[in-house]
Structures are given as structure tokens and as C-alpha cells.
Amino acid sequence: MRYRPFLSHKRARAPAVAQLKQQLCIRGAGGWKDTDDLDLGADTIPAIVNAIERETGGFIWWATRDTLNSRVICETELPTALARAERNPAYPIVPVFVELRPHDRPAIEAAIGPDQATRLLRYNGVTRNANQDLQDLARAAARRYVKQLVAAVAPGSVEVAISAFREATAGHDLSLDWRPLFDAETRVPAAGGVETFTEALGDIREALQGRVRAPR
């Protein structure tokens, strides 16, 4: 999954970010999450830098207020992602404003510096609506991320794999992991599964048709 994003977040928010990762997996992008993908015994900081620089194809910042108190996020994750985006303008950085908002710029500047805050806040993100639950926010952010990435794909073929009863295979542009959408015993779609299938495929088609009328 060449579009797999690095999921930048405080570990205390891991349950909500797990919902985001699941939504990204359903839609084919997957996600790199430290509690899932960091090797046991690995030197944390070099491993995070390597994941951002080489193992992932995008960056999503789950912007809660406590991220501004994290040295790893403020001194390693965000600077590394912003530096990569400077070298490659097609590299997507998507802020998901869960608690923070763009107008919280003074607090963001205090945490990462004025220059990096300016670069970070120029990226259009997803802002949590009043009374929006985290599950719906995760779904909205995943849809936005996948549609944005697919729309940026160069004209030509896009390889999409779909898996329902085993782990999605790697090596494709998008690998849609639909295991959470099926009842494991009956092997039929769970409640809401068909609607989610339709939504996920419709988002990909819509994004591709923004570039070419009849995508392969």
C-alpha cells in the first residue's frame, strides 16, 4: 500500500486512532501506527524517522492539545514530515483538528516554532464538527485522505486489491481490507457493510474520474 500514512498521535489517544486506521484500511490506504508497527526492541526515534521517510506515503496528524506536549511529535514527527513535504510537494500532510483548531496558532507556534507552524497550517485538514463523535470523524478523515491521494495519481492504471477473509495483500496501489465488514462465522456482510463497500468504491471512482473519464 504505497499510500499508507504515518499516524501521528499521543498514545493516550490510541483507541480513537485505531478507528482511523481501520477506516483507512477499509478504504485501501492502511496506516502506520507505532503501537502496531514499531518493532519490539527498536530504537524509537530512528525507527519513526525511517517510517516517515521510507515506509509510508503520507502523514496524518491527530491534532489533540496533548500532542503539543510531546517531544517526539514536536521535535521528530512533524519536522521530519514537513521536511519530506518540502522535498516532495506531492507528499500529503493532513491535519485532523480533533481539539486544536487553525486559530490555535500561538499554542502551535510555541510548541514547534513559528516557521514550522506556518508550514503545517498551510495544509488543508479535517476539522471536527460540534458534537461529532470520534468514529464519524475517523471515517470522514479516512475518506478525505484516500480521495485526495487517488485524485493525485498520474493518469493510467491504478491497482486495487480487495480482501474479505484474510489480511490484505501488499504491492498494490490500494489494498481494501474488508474483514471488519463481514461476519466471521456466516461470512456474509455485517450490518452496514454493503453501504460501506459502496461508499469506499464510490470515493475511489469519484477521485479517479476527476483525472480521467474512464479510469482503469
Side-chain angles (χ1 to χ4, degrees), residues 36-100:
D36 297 336
D37 299 292
L38 190 64
D39 292 336
L40 291 174
D43 192 343
T44 301
I45 298 303
I48 285 174
V49 170
N50 183 67
I52 295 172
E53 291 278 11
R54 298 177 182 84
E55 296 182 16
T56 56
F59 186 90
I60 297 179
W61 176 42
W62 193 255
T64 53
R65 294 193 177 278
D66 50 5
T67 59
L68 301 183
N69 301 322
S70 168
R71 292 186 63 183
V72 173
I73 293 172
C74 294
E75 297 180 11
T76 299
E77 293 178 3
L78 286 169
T80 303
L82 290 167
R84 181 173 174 184
E86 284 291 308
R87 298 192 304 271
N88 178 12
Y91 177 77
I93 293 178
V94 179
V96 180
F97 293 104
V98 185
E99 296 171 355
L100 292 169

Side-chain angles (χ1 to χ4, degrees), residues 1-3 24-30 159-163 167-178 204:
M1 292 173 286
R2 75 184 205 200
Y3 302 140
L24 287 161
C25 288
I26 287 169
R27 289 163 171 79
E159 290 190 359
V160 180
I162 300 173
S163 180
E167 186 174 358
T169 56
H172 306 281
D173 293 323
L174 295 170
S175 294
L176 286 71
D177 185 351
W178 285 357
I204 294 170

